[in-house]
Amino acid sequence: MPELPEVEVIRVGLQKKIVGKTLKKIEILNPKTFQGNPKEAENKKVVDVWRRAKMLGIDLAGNLTLLFHLKLTGQLILVKGEERVIGGHPTEDMKGQMPSNSTRVIFEFSDGAKLYFNDQRKFGWIKLVKSQMSRNGWGERGQEIEKVLGELGPEPLEKSFTWEVLKENLLKRKNMPVKVALMNQSLIAGIGNIYASESLFLAKIDPRRKVFSLSDAEFKKLHQGIRESLETAIKAGGSTRAHFVNVEGERGYYLDFANVYGKEGQLCRRRCGGKIEKIIQAGRGTYFCPNCQK
DNA sequence: TTAAATGTTTAAAT
DNA sequence: CATTTAAACATTTA
């Protein structure tokens, strides 16, 4: 599940907590989850934590990078004593004892902190690759990383992502329903099933509309809606709150902020009188208000 | 029992 | 060729 906001929240949490620590040991419980030789990463210091689209990178000294993709059910849980940083797919057991039965890989740091990579459906992965990076943007990053990251569109929260860029990129799939195009990572990076629906709700655009039918005014509203939905979610801590909490203090995740996602049958929050509907597009559930999304 | 689940890739069908 | 849709991956929960 995790989409851009959830991964970003994890990134911020880990950045604060593990940069400067030394990775002592990597324990692999599910071999398919980890690609590369874990021994190469052991006894290396964490230099940086970054995000691109829905992928997370942990740079290690010695020009190595641990790349993570959480796919649908991945979660990262950093535990040190009573303190936890939690993020990713929201489940109840992420608050409980670690490792849990969905723990696939455990990273142990020299100060005793442990980072658990949990993934119920085992779609997620971790790859150890060479960094070959400079700090001058993505074009400068190593070929190996570029290959793993694939062809990704612009980051929607960067300043350079204007409504014109949104329009230009979406129009590469002009015949597609706008909601389906929004989830295409090569057009815009990081938007998945939740925030595609949420952004369109904020923009008051029907998810079934084909891209070519959108006016400039609608592209502008959609641009605004994307930024607002992502930023709101990041501020709220993503759908899972990756805050620094005690085991007891953890509460209140599960999409409290969503307007339409998972709200089938409920009244539209705009009080327009409409009822949230669920339809299937490209095999995925889409939620929208048929009354005020035109 | 069947369906669906915050993702992505690839094969098959239009 | 350009698009779309379905299937696959693996597991749990409603």
Side-chain angles (χ1 to χ4, degrees):
Chain A
M1 98 28 130
E3 300 184 32
L4 186 155
E6 288 76 27
V7 181
E8 177 64 13
V9 169
I10 294 174
R11 199 217 97 220
V12 171
L14 288 184
Q15 169 100 47
K16 285 183 187 155
K17 290 292 171 182
I18 67 170
V19 170
K21 287 185 183 180
T22 298
L23 185 55
K24 190 91 182 177
K25 190 175 155 214
I26 300 178
E27 192 179 342
I28 298 171
L29 284 67
N30 181 287
K32 282 183 128 178
T33 302
F34 194 99
Q35 296 168 40
N37 179 4
K39 290 286 167 209
E40 290 174 13
E42 292 181 354
N43 298 310
K44 297 284 196 301
K45 196 177 258 193
V46 175
V47 175
D48 195 13
V49 184
W50 50 267
R51 178 191 62 75
R52 170 76 168 119
K54 302 168 188 171
M55 273 163 282
L56 186 79
I58 298 179
D59 286 342
L60 303 171
N63 238 24
L64 288 169
T65 295
L66 284 163
L67 270 176
F68 294 72
H69 199 308
L70 276 51
K71 289 293 180 81
L72 281 107
T73 57
Q75 43 189 214
L76 281 167
I77 300 164
L78 181 71
V79 181
K80 189 189 175 190
E82 287 294 288
E83 190 179 61
R84 283 190 180 203
V85 177
I86 305 181
H89 184 66
T91 58
E92 276 300 316
D93 71 318
M94 72 201 298
K95 297 184 285 185
Q97 274 296 312
M98 286 299 135
S100 74
N101 49 9
S102 65
T103 298
R104 310 302 176 201
V105 179
I106 305 170
F107 298 87
E108 198 177 327
F109 296 92
S110 47
D111 68 346
K114 287 186 180 179
L115 179 64
Y116 297 87
F117 180 85
N118 293 355
D119 185 18
Q120 178 185 108
R121 290 169 73 176
K122 300 180 183 170
F123 291 165
W125 47 252
I126 303 166
K127 297 178 204 240
L128 180 61
V129 298
K130 281 205 264 303
S131 306
Q132 296 180 323
M133 39 143 330
S134 70
R135 289 273 120 213
N136 299 320
W138 294 103
E140 304 281 329
R141 220 169 253 282
Q143 294 177 336
E144 200 171 352
I145 284 188
E146 282 299 327
K147 200 169 69 184
V148 177
L149 292 179
E151 288 179 14
L152 290 170
E155 286 287 327
L157 295 181
E158 302 230 316
K159 285 182 280 293
S160 55
F161 183 72
T162 60
W163 75 269
E164 289 96 335
V165 172
L166 172 71
K167 175 183 173 182
E168 187 185 334
N169 282 26
L170 286 184
L171 281 173
K172 291 176 187 169
R173 291 289 184 283
K174 59 188 168 70
N175 290 314
M176 277 188 151
V178 59
K179 189 261 188 173
V180 179
L182 274 177
M183 290 196 294
N184 184 325
Q185 301 300 296
S186 71
L187 304 181
I188 303 153
I191 299 175
N193 207 29
I194 291 180
Y195 299 101
S197 282
E198 294 297 320
S199 302
L200 287 162
F201 173 79
L202 292 177
K204 297 188 179 179
I205 294 169
D206 189 317
R208 297 166 295 190
R209 291 270 301 282
K210 296 205 172 189
V211 172
F212 71 79
S213 76
L214 299 186
S215 67
D216 280 1
E218 287 172 325
F219 279 116
K220 283 181 197 173
K221 279 198 294 180
L222 182 53
H223 176 258
Q224 172 80 16
I226 290 169
R227 290 214 138 144
E228 198 177 318
S229 64
L230 296 177
E231 277 164 7
T232 302
I234 291 171
K235 276 187 196 134
S239 56
T240 51
R241 296 219 176 138
H243 285 158
F244 311 112
V245 293
N246 295 327
V247 180
E248 278 115 326
E250 184 56 35
R251 65 186 132 72
Y253 25 68
Y254 295 122
L255 300 158
D256 298 335
F257 60 87
N259 286 300
V260 291
Y261 185 84
K263 308 287 185 189
E264 186 183 9
Q266 298 184 27
L267 284 174
C268 174
R269 281 201 185 171
R270 283 201 185 91
R271 302 166 66 88
C272 72
K275 215 177 247 180
I276 306 305
E277 259 181 41
K278 181 190 178 186
I279 58 172
I280 302 296
Q281 290 182 293
R284 313 295 303 281
T286 297
Y287 300 84
F288 70 112
C289 172
N291 194 48
C292 61
Q293 288 178 254
K294 299 297 184 188

